[in-house]
Amino acid sequence: MTHNWAAVRDEATRYLQDLIRIDTTNPPGNETSAAEYLAAVLKREGIEPTILESAPGRGNLVARLKGDGRAAPLLLMVHIDVVPAEANAWTHPPFGGDIADGFLYGRGALDTKELAAMELMVLLMLKRTGKPLVRDIIFMANADEEAGGRMGAGWMVKEHADLIRAEYAINEGGGFALDILGQRFFTCQIAEKGTARFAMRTRGRAGHGSQPHCDNSVLKLAAAIQKIGAAEFPHHASATVKLFLERVAAKLGKPHDKDLLALLDAKKYRAAVERLPLDEGLRSMFYAMLHNTVTPTMLNAGSKVNVIPSMAEAKCDARLLPGQTSRDLLHELRAVIGNEVEIEFMDDTPALESDYQTPLFDTIARVMARHEPTAPVLPYLVVGATDARHVRKLGTKVYGFSPMLAPTSELDRVHGHDERIAIDSLAFGTRVLHEVVREFCEGVDR
Ligand SMILES: [Zn+2]
C-alpha cells in the first residue's frame, strides 16, 4: 500500500500541534489531559486504550496492536510531560502550537511530543492497512519523565509490568543527525549514563565574620569545588563508545581516523582531543562519553552575613559510565579532593548498555540507509538519562531512536526558549519510524 505522505505529514502535524496546546508542564504534570486526547484519537480508529493514573492527573496511556505472537512485542514509548517554559522569552507562545516558516513551535516540540505524534501516527497507519503482525506493538505515553519518572515509566514498570513487557522498545535519546568533522551521521542510542548524585560537606570553626580564619567551611568547600572544576577524571572506554568512535574513524578515514581512535586510549586521549578540530559541543560530548563527570549545581552555607558557618554544603550531579558504580566514582573523587570532605550519595543508578547486534538495530540501519545513504547510523551513548532506565528492568532492549533531520544546533532549544521542530523533519521522522516498525513487525515484503 502506498501512503499519501503529504496527508500523513499534515495529520502528524495536527496531532503534535494539539499535544503542544495541552499544557503538561511538570510539575504538576497534568498528563491525563494529553493521555485523554491520545485516547480519543485511538478510539476513533478502533484501538482500545487504557489510561492508568499514578496519582490524580498523572495519566499514563497504554494501547496495543495485536500480532500473532510469533515474535515478542515491540514497545513504542514516549513521555508526554514537558519542562516549564518562560513564556515571555519566547517569540511564539510555548503552548500555542504556532507554525511559522516551516517550523512548529512549542514546549515539547523536540522533547518529546514530536515522538508521541510520530508513534501515534505509525500506530494508526498500521491499524488502517490492517496487515497481520508477527508481534504485538505496544504504545506507552507516560507521565513524569522530566522529574525522574517515578509517577510515569517507573510506576508503570512497578505496577503494570504485564501491560508493557516487550523484547525491544523505541524511545527518545537518539535518531538525530550528528555532524562530525564535516561528515553527517545519525544516532541510535543503545546506552545511557547512570547517575550518582551526591552532597559534599565541609566543616570548620564558627566565628565572627569580622575575624577571618582559615578553618572556614565556606573556604574549604570552595577549594574542593575548584579542584573538581579543574580535574580531568579517569578515562573509561565503554563498548558502545568504542564502537561509535571506530565507526566514525572508519567513515572519515584520513587524516583524522588515527586521532579519533586515539580518543579511546587513556594515555593518548588528551593529545588527540587537542589535535582534532572539534567544536566546543563535540569536545564536551566526547569528554562526557569517556569519563564519569561531576558537576556542582547547588550551594548552601551560612544564614547571616557576619557569621562564619561551621558547615557548608554543595550538591553535585554526577554521571556514571557503563560498568561504573558510585564506589568507583568515590575513589576518583577522593583522588581529586582528598579525604576531608564528607560525601553522601543521594542516588546510585547504574548506566545501561544494550546489545546492538539485533534485528531491530539492523532494521533501523537498513531503513536509514535508504533515506540517508551517505550518513551511517552510529550506536550511541547518551550522556543524560531517559525513561529507558526504568523499562530496562523488565529485560527490554531500549533503543533511543526518534528520527529527525534537525541539525544538532536545533537541539539546543530542548528545555530552552523557542523549542520547535521543522515540519519536514516531523514528516521525515514519521516516515522512517513507520518503515522501521512495519518492517520489524510485519516481518515480510518491503
Ligand atoms: Zn526533557
Side-chain angles (χ1 to χ4, degrees), residues 256 258-259 262 268 270-278 283:
H256 297 308
K258 275 214 174 69
D259 283 334
K268 297 178 184 162
R270 183 41 52 195
V273 86
E274 301 297 344
R275 274 194 302 268
L276 286 165
L278 300 167
R283 199 175 284 252

Side-chain angles (χ1 to χ4, degrees), residues 79 83 111 145-146 172 414-415:
H79 70 87
V83 292
D111 180 17
E145 190 273 347
E146 297 292 359
E172 65 169 326
V414 170
H415 291 208

